[in-house]
Amino acid sequence: MTVTTTKGPRGPKPKKAFSRANIFLYGTLIMVSMYYLLPLYVMIVTSLKGMPEIRMGNVFGPPMDITFEPWVKAWSEACTGINCDGLSRGFGNSVRILIPSVLLSIIIASVNGYALSNWKFKGSEVFFTILIIGAFIPYQTMLYPIVILLREIGLMGSIGGLVLVHTIFGMPILTLLFRNYFASMPEELFKAARVDGAGFWQIYFQIMLPMALPIFVVAIILQVTGIWNDFLFGVIYTKPSTYPMTVQLNNIVNSVQGIKEYNVNMAATLLTGLVPLLIYFASGKLFVRGIAAGAVKG
Amino acid sequence: MANSVEIKNLDLNFGAVKVLKQLNLDIAEGEFLVLLGSSGCGKSTLLNCIAGLLDVSDGQIFIKGENVTWAEPSDRGIGMVFQSYALYPQMTVRGNLSFGLKNAKVPKPEIAKRIARAADVLQIEPLLDRKPGALSGGQRQRVAIGRALVRDVDVFLFDEPLSNLDAKLRTDLRVELKRLHQQLKNTMIYVTHDQVEAMTLADRISIMKDGMIEQLDTPERIYAKPCNKYVADFIGSPAMNLFTGQLSDTRFGCNGFNLDVSGYEFSDSGLRDGAAWLGIRPEHIMTGDAAHGASYSGTAEIDIVEPMGSDTLVWVNFAGQSVRVRTIGQSGLKSGNTLTIGFDAARLHLFDKKTELRL
Amino acid sequence: MANSVEIKNLDLNFGAVKVLKQLNLDIAEGEFLVLLGSSGCGKSTLLNCIAGLLDVSDGQIFIKGENVTWAEPSDRGIGMVFQSYALYPQMTVRGNLSFGLKNAKVPKPEIAKRIARAADVLQIEPLLDRKPGALSGGQRQRVAIGRALVRDVDVFLFDEPLSNLDAKLRTDLRVELKRLHQQLKNTMIYVTHDQVEAMTLADRISIMKDGMIEQLDTPERIYAKPCNKYVADFIGSPAMNLFTGQLSDTRFGCNGFNLDVSGYEFSDSGLRDGAAWLGIRPEHIMTGDAAHGASYSGTAEIDIVEPMGSDTLVWVNFAGQSVRVRTIGQSGLKSGNTLTIGFDAARLHLFDKKTELRL
Amino acid sequence: IELEVTHWWTSGGEAAAVTKFAEAWNATGNTWLDGAIAGSGGTARPIIISRIIGGDPMAATQMNHGRQAEELIEAGLLLDLSEVAEAGGWADIVNPSSLLEGCTLDGKIYCVPVNIHSGQWMWLSHAAYENAGLDVPADWNEFVDSAGELRAAGTLPLAMGQQGWQQNLAFGAITIAVAGTEAWREVTVNKNADVARGPEFTAVFDAMVNARELASGSNVQDWNQATNMVITGTAGAQLMGDWAQGEFAVAGQVEGVDYSCLPGLGLNDVLDTGGDAFYFPVNDDPEITAAQLELAALLISPEVQVSFNLAKGSLPVRGDIDMSAANGCMQKGLEILASGGVLPSGDQSLSADTQTQIEDLMAQFWSGDMPAADAQESYAELIEKAD
Amino acid sequence: MTVAPDPPAQPAKRPRRLFKNLMAKLASLPMILTALVIFVGGTSWTVFYSFTGSRMLPKTEFVGLDQYERLWNSDRWIISIKNLGIYGSCSLVLTLVIGFCLAACLDRKIRFESAFRSIFLYPFALSFVVTGLAWQWILNPEFGLQSVVRGWGWETFTFNPLNDPDTVIFGLLIAGLWQGTGLIMCIMLAGLRGIDEDIWKAARVDGIGTIKTYVVVIIPMMRPVFITALVLIASGIIKLYDLVVAQTGGGPGLSSEVPAKYVIEFMFRAQNLGQGFAASTMMLCSVVIILIPWAFLEFGGRKRG
Ligand SMILES: Nc1ncnc2c1ncn2[C@@H]1O[C@H](COP(=O)(O)OP(=O)(O)OP(=O)(O)O)[C@@H](O)[C@H]1O
Ligand SMILES: Nc1ncnc2c1ncn2[C@@H]1O[C@H](COP(=O)(O)OP(=O)(O)OP(=O)(O)O)[C@@H](O)[C@H]1O
Ligand SMILES: [Mg+2]
Ligand SMILES: [Mg+2]
């Protein structure tokens, strides 16, 4: 075939790097990003300023004298009542609450989700529906009955009690995630395993679990942030020696002595948010993917 | 020959929907039975019942004479191969093959022996340490078969094992499966909705429709003597041409032609009169010179010509409808021309108009 | 006849991957061109380039003589039908058909007229007020075609429009498409990897491999005179049997047989010696008595017999390999028996061993 | 023995005062485990109550004495302190005796009053008035008169934290000052709604409307932020309880020089005698119970009372101790106490439920532009329904 | 086909229903207990006591519907409901719109997609307490946004939503949107990615502009995703509490009170459990009203899910 080169456009269509659509698109994104970044910026900047500089106004100006004093104070010196050990104590408690709560809630929810999608039994859907409706019940409704429940099983005020509460309230949404995820796995795999003589737990541990990594990531992220950020349960179902970090944060921020030490408050706030923030920044992509796998269907 | 699988009065309902209805089926030892039917007719459901993956609503299932209606899938002596292979993605091929055996607490050396044998039969030795993700479709399918093989089961169940593969591979694996059956001589129950697979693989084909078995017979007989209009229409590609008309003793007449059917081999039903369907397969319609000697011959206008290489499919307008005719490749026929076609009474099919049963 | 679509030196890269390589293609006005090739060879990519949905890396595209390389898809005078139908699910059929027109500000009465015509051609009048969710697969496909139809385009592009449908429906719609083309006489470019579709629909078939066109010719010639080994192997089902051996002037000899090829119609290349491939289609191998008169005849052991109703596929062991033979239905052949087979030199294919081009 | 004590004293002056308790307790060889909960009593109370109900009580907890604990006592959840009280002769030393009454139910004593707080104080910034070239007012009326000029000088006349309880406190102070003690007692103690609808209260609500105007532009939330405005001179005055004095002390200001305090808003020399008390939830451990009783006795002991109340800026609960170290404001309060200008605190008369509703009403009144008459009617209705 | 009903060799009996899938049932026990004891039990307990005159401790002293009557006569409750209504409707609409728009922007094959996504998503990692505090500071008129803009020379610029009873709800909204839109964006993005590529091609061939395609074709196709998002947002709105407490404390006055806060305050501060329970029962009712249509859409139409 002979090819005669012809006039006219040839090759790739020229793209303007700054087309109007692009300017609009990136412009919007950058503007919106500023809205989202503003609080973080303010918190970081303020936490690095000294009190005199703050009093001069302008929360948005960069610090003239960078000082880490507020961070040190927030971590280990800020006072609540007569305890002046800052957030440091709450951090340990938060970790001690977080790890068992996350593990327990995810283990239970994953088994539930697995049972619900692969081993349906009479009534399983009913219980699940109740559970899901439970996810939307305002916590306040449950506060009092749970106080009584914890009293009856003797876990009131202990870390164990709080772990239990977190497990209970994490269960609906996690179970939903796991159920949807397991239901989206090919049913034939489950059938094949049954023909191979595997039982409930064997299928769970040897077949399902190794395949459920993405959804475990989502569950872990959701639970870590949820539990770490929890204030209501932390304050009601624990006592000062087991207060999580958020409660300490609230105590520090609300213990106004003279004028508010904004820099310390911001540093404390940042310190408290550090763990979930790190997790989010580290796992953005996995999270989106997991959400797609477990939450969005149809 | 003893029956390997017996199904008695099987009912299966999903809620209010009756999927299988009073189904009976006996499968002989070593037989290759294909369940064929259109989508949604209950083939997979039946297979799952045999495997014990679905609880039957009523009826009984026997395997090797034993009532297994309520037995666990793993205790029934069955192995199953799925359409999507259903290999455990995180295990190596070896792990996949040994999973069931480990569950059954088979001793290690025995497991190794069986895997070696299966790998040999299926020629998958070089793949044993790979994961399923690193295998091609055909290889995966072979591993899936191997998984049933190592468990030394009496009955193999296949649920459309080849329909995820491309045409070429499907042909090859089909032949391999046939060879495997000749070698192993296990009972095999095979679900498909592909006629070619059914025709080529089966010792007997069971044609299903709406949860019931329409005809259970050898491929040859199903092709040559479909027991009712549904089967006749279902089997054969392109499908049989059907004309509705009036049968009176030895003649069939309809709007457009009339022919002598005294050469037709009537069944025992004895009926020879009344409204009827006349069927003839596209490949049995004679064309050109050959047509002249047939029981009936006439001319038709060619509508569409579909050359398919080895043969040509011609759509002609005849007796007021579009009739498919299959003829040799490179026939030189052209749309708009006229074609002489002929019907041979010995190769016709007649069905009662009302009951749709073969006459 | 003017060229409807011309593609000149088209290159398309996805990043570093060259998917289409210096591709040239001229499609005549009113032609039905099928792009055929195995999965991943770049068929859809080429179609998307023509439609303007992908930006080409180099080269030009002309539609009706106009350079549309940089034109918007909607300005190219093309209509496209997708494998997944891609109907707008929340609109009625009428909405789907009129959406593009409304957008192009076509006056209302004109829209109504065009929809009426398309609905008439495609016989979807009764469906006009339903939503796509309430349609069967075949109906959806028809609506998708209708969407291209109403836009009064010069070129129809189809991307595997039938591959989501079941076998029966596929056959029917194939014929409808062919009829539609005969009626509309638009240029149609049709992507498929199904040979039967390609053979039956195409005026010309373009066989693609790795982003290049291997052969562009009528179905008959592609079947009868494949230009190289790839095309020969690709076209025909079951595939051609290929033997490797030595050609010396008028004889081809290999491990197991030796035959006179003086009846072979050599191409102009002039080569008649050296290592070569010999190919013969299963349907061209003669069996039984007919074989005796052939250029070569010998006996082979039957391995597997696959009855397919209208004909039988026999796998025989011959010349150290498994050879496919296609013979009549109900042949009565049995595995293990011996079969006489014969090759006719006029129906052989010879390819150079190195270049794989037809000799 | 380690005893956990919960309270909501977290501001500077308060924390200093708690330290006094803790030091005294630690000095006895025991350990004070501080369970401060930041925020007001509103934040802390649910925590305290749910822990007591939940069976994991703290050893001691701050609560406003009065009606708040009644049900807990009835449910047998709080420790009976009668023994210690008798041994310490509390009945004789606690002055005014109404304080101990608030701790008594069916003749048994359940709490230790630790201080007396009164809400009817006005705090004035000298700096603010000096800046405006004005004299520091001597009573509420003068304050109202000079407010216009103060504002003209760019100073906010009245600092007001935007929280219901602070606004309610201001309401209480204005009531006592404007309507007088009789009317106040009739309404608050006897729940006489007719009086609440009467002319005395009309005057009160008119004064409230005035005060609302004077406070407009006060954007702070917490009471000590408001106090801080007075300390720094950005506001002229604040209506706040005597605990505000602690903030002035922490800021190093001197009464009469940097700020003035006017009990009863300078109009009526009466103070209510609310205050804080400590309750001791019942515990299974006899050792802890013993320690609880020990702590109860300690809290009311003379030395502890002195050091605590000096730090806190409140009045001691016993009349038999020497408070000469106290500063001017406190001395004023002590004088009023001694002269018998005493009213029971609202906490003792009204249930938390009613208090909350009144606070809500006040919050609504102060933040909006509710006319005086409407507010008065709503108030009267609440009094009518109060139990 | 004739069937010889020969008696089975060993008559296999249908196993007991209860013991079928026993392991699955055992493993689901925590879920069953949670569902029954906590959710059903706890809720019924609350509803039950809402008919009593309980004060600080639950008591079975029935007062009929008194608590409800008082509830609906209470200004504060009415204000709370109104506030929630305003906040809720704005938040619902804006979260969906912003979430979708951001997702659509990110779906346009842009550069730095993951950076933008992280920026939009990170606030979700922060608690409402932190959110509330941060925005309280930024919106503070003395040194926040207002003073900065005034510092630039625009002396009359006034932006002080938190201290104005009329606009305080919008102050909350700014913070609430900041925290919550990221997750919705994520869900929308996942939904957009799930849309058949061919639909986009079809629209381009039909000559439909990008924005029009989103509005007319894509959004209607994403109905299930929108429903999921809607339910998530709605459930969050009803629970709105921490943010209010941290950012405004319900003030100024009662102008940013919300029902959840009413419940807590009456249960604990006012020590009127009955009233608090009545309020939470009302909240429960609203949840049920929201959930019923959703459950219908979600579970009604399908067999397997
Ligand atoms: N879990 C289920 N619940 C309700 N109905 C079901 C269920 N599984 C299958 N069905 C219905 O039972 C009928 C038979 O389904 P089955 O899967 O056996 O069909 P099939 O013959 O295997 O079809 P295919 O060729 O498409 O695999 C169908 O109508 C299907 O809708
Ligand atoms: N967006 C893309 N980015 C990178 N590579 C791509 C992209 N789209 C297609 N390809 C690659 O280009 C090649 C051709 O793809 P194309 O879709 O055209 O194949 P095809 O012939 O249509 O195959 P099929 O029959 O499976 O549809 C493939 O190897 C594919 O992996
Ligand atoms: Mg099936
Ligand atoms: Mg393609």
Side-chain angles (χ1 to χ4, degrees), chain A residues 19-42:
Chain A
S19 69
R20 210 168 340 138
N22 267 351
I23 290 174
F24 181 75
L25 187 65
Y26 285 96
T28 314
L29 283 175
I30 288 169
M31 292 285 292
V32 175
S33 298
M34 276 167 61
Y35 163 59
Y36 282 93
L37 284 174
L38 188 73
L40 189 65
Y41 170 77
V42 167

Side-chain angles (χ1 to χ4, degrees), chain A residues 188, chain B residues 39-40 42-45 48 83 159-160 191 193:
Chain A
E188 296 188 342
Chain B
S39 195
K43 308 178 296 290
S44 302
T45 306
N48 281 326
Q83 175 175 356
D159 194 351
E160 311 197 16
V191 164
H193 54 233

Side-chain angles (χ1 to χ4, degrees), chain C residues 273-341:
Chain C
D273 289 290
W277 287 99
L278 175 129
I280 181 154
R281 298 197 181 278
E283 56 269 30
H284 296 158
I285 297 182
M286 291 167 284
T287 56
D289 296 340
H292 292 300
S295 313
Y296 169 84
S297 79
T299 56
E301 192 206 349
I302 298 178
D303 179 15
I304 294 219
V305 179
E306 298 194 313
M308 313 221 271
S310 55
D311 39 34
T312 308
L313 192 61
V314 186
W315 300 68
V316 300
N317 293 325
F318 177 73
Q321 66 190 76
S322 187
V323 171
R324 291 169 287 272
V325 179
R326 183 153 149 196
T327 176
I328 49 158
Q330 265 122 58
S331 62
L333 297 173
K334 283 244 160 50
S335 171
N337 291 6
T338 321
L339 182 68
T340 311
I341 57 173

Side-chain angles (χ1 to χ4, degrees), chain A residues 120-296:
Chain A
K120 293 200 182 99
F121 51 89
K122 216 170 173 207
S124 62
E125 288 293 301
V126 176
F127 293 123
F128 177 67
T129 311
I130 295 175
L131 204 66
I132 291 304
I133 293 183
F136 299 107
I137 296 179
Y139 293 148
Q140 290 79 10
T141 316
M142 304 269 107
L143 281 182
Y144 217 100
I146 287 184
V147 169
I148 292 173
L149 180 87
L150 288 181
R151 180 183 69 199
E152 292 309 314
I153 55 178
L155 284 178
M156 183 69 197
S158 65
I159 285 190
L162 190 59
V163 167
L164 183 70
V165 172
H166 282 309
T167 306
I168 286 171
F169 283 97
M171 202 183 292
I173 211 77
L174 290 187
T175 305
L176 178 75
L177 279 179
F178 278 106
R179 189 191 84 127
N180 287 351
Y181 186 83
F182 285 126
S184 73
M185 295 220 275
E187 200 184 7
E188 296 188 342
L189 211 55
F190 170 74
K191 288 183 175 173
R194 286 205 60 196
V195 172
D196 267 346
F200 185 85
W201 294 112
Q202 269 162 317
I203 297 179
Y204 174 71
F205 282 110
Q206 298 190 32
I207 311 293
M208 296 300 179
L209 213 53
M211 294 175 67
L213 190 72
I215 203 69
F216 269 96
V217 171
V218 173
I220 288 172
I221 293 174
L222 282 182
Q223 281 301 84
V224 168
T225 49
I227 293 170
W228 189 270
N229 285 337
D230 160 71
F231 172 74
L232 190 63
F233 298 144
V235 78
I236 301 246
Y237 300 124
T238 53
K239 53 186 164 193
S241 57
T242 50
Y243 275 165
M245 208 164 166
T246 39
V247 178
Q248 295 288 9
L249 169 71
N250 178 66
N251 282 344
I252 289 172
V253 172
N254 283 325
S255 299
V256 194
Q257 324 211 333
I259 70 155
K260 283 197 173 181
E261 289 184 288
Y262 287 105
N263 52 358
V264 177
N265 290 349
M266 305 254 181
T269 307
L270 280 173
L271 276 171
T272 312
L274 217 52
V275 169
L277 270 183
L278 285 180
I279 287 186
Y280 265 77
F281 278 122
S283 66
K285 197 153 208 159
L286 278 178
F287 186 73
V288 179
R289 212 177 296 150
I291 286 274
V296 182

